[in-house]
Amino acid sequence: KQLKSSFRTIWQKSIYTSSKLSFYSKLKTTFGKEQYLDHVTKYKDRTNTTRLRISAHRLEIEVGRYKKVPRNERTCTWCDIVFNDKTVEDETHFLNHCDMNATYRSRLVHKIKSLIPTDLGPITNQTNFLKILSNPTISSPRPPENCQTHLSPSL
């Protein structure tokens, strides 16, 4: 019991002090097994959801970290080219804002509307997917289907 308590304390300090785990720390607020691991039955979907949650993907926020690019310069290539918008390409941008994912986001929203409890509020194309990915009462939806190149293992 003492070992588990010590590990839990170290775990909490680690996720809140690591810049790599900034997205994860927003999703994971309690120590324990995530329900999506049991509810998302397709291996590929579960793997992609986990990779997104733990930042094991190829978004610029992660790729740039390996290249030692300053965090504020890890911008979304699509948004930079199309809109001349130098927005950091992190998980939140990728899921909620990036125009490149608008069609897939719309499909995903349509697909998960029936899964979301009413206490999360209305589900729209601008839904905060953080609420969905971190809600323990629902099965986490799989990421948009074009995510797979971004969700392949980190460098």
Side-chain angles (χ1 to χ4, degrees):
K1 191 171 183 170
Q2 176 71 23
L3 181 60
K4 188 175 182 179
S5 176
S6 294
F7 180 79
R8 196 173 287 196
T9 301
I10 292 167
W11 172 80
Q12 282 184 317
K13 286 179 184 175
S14 297
I15 67 168
Y16 293 114
T17 58
S18 170
S19 63
K20 175 177 173 33
L21 298 175
S22 63
F23 184 71
Y24 179 75
S25 69
K26 294 174 189 171
L27 298 173
K28 187 77 173 160
T29 56
T30 59
F31 182 77
K33 182 180 177 183
E34 292 296 318
Q35 290 187 13
Y36 81 91
L37 293 169
D38 293 327
H39 296 293
V40 179
T41 57
K42 290 184 181 177
Y43 175 79
K44 186 177 178 182
D45 296 342
R46 192 171 50 249
T47 301
N48 284 336
T49 299
T50 300
R51 284 182 177 154
L52 183 66
R53 289 173 59 97
I54 65 170
S55 298
H57 49 62
R58 291 181 180 260
L59 297 176
E60 279 301 315
I61 193 68
E62 188 63 16
V63 174
R65 187 173 72 85
Y66 286 97
K67 296 177 182 177
K68 309 244 187 275
V69 175
R71 191 177 188 93
N72 65 328
E73 294 176 21
R74 301 176 198 171
T75 58
C76 176
T77 305
W78 175 262
C79 291
D80 187 16
I81 291 169
V82 175
F83 303 111
N84 197 28
D85 181 5
K86 303 255 188 236
T87 302
V88 171
E89 185 186 40
D90 60 10
E91 298 86 353
T92 302
H93 171 75
F94 181 69
L95 288 172
N96 291 334
H97 307 291
C98 187
D99 183 66
M100 181 175 73
N101 300 314
T103 300
Y104 299 101
R105 184 169 38 252
S106 180
R107 287 182 195 160
L108 180 63
V109 166
H110 179 73
K111 189 174 187 177
I112 64 176
K113 277 187 178 184
S114 64
L115 302 173
I116 306 302
T118 57
D119 65 330
L120 286 179
I123 305 303
T124 67
N125 287 357
Q126 292 302 313
T127 292
N128 183 345
F129 281 97
L130 185 61
K131 288 181 187 177
I132 296 167
L133 288 170
S134 63
N135 189 310
T137 63
I138 61 170
S139 304
S140 291
R142 70 183 197 200
E145 295 187 18
N146 75 326
C147 294
Q148 295 180 22
T149 56
H150 281 82
L151 294 178
S152 58
S154 298
L155 300 175

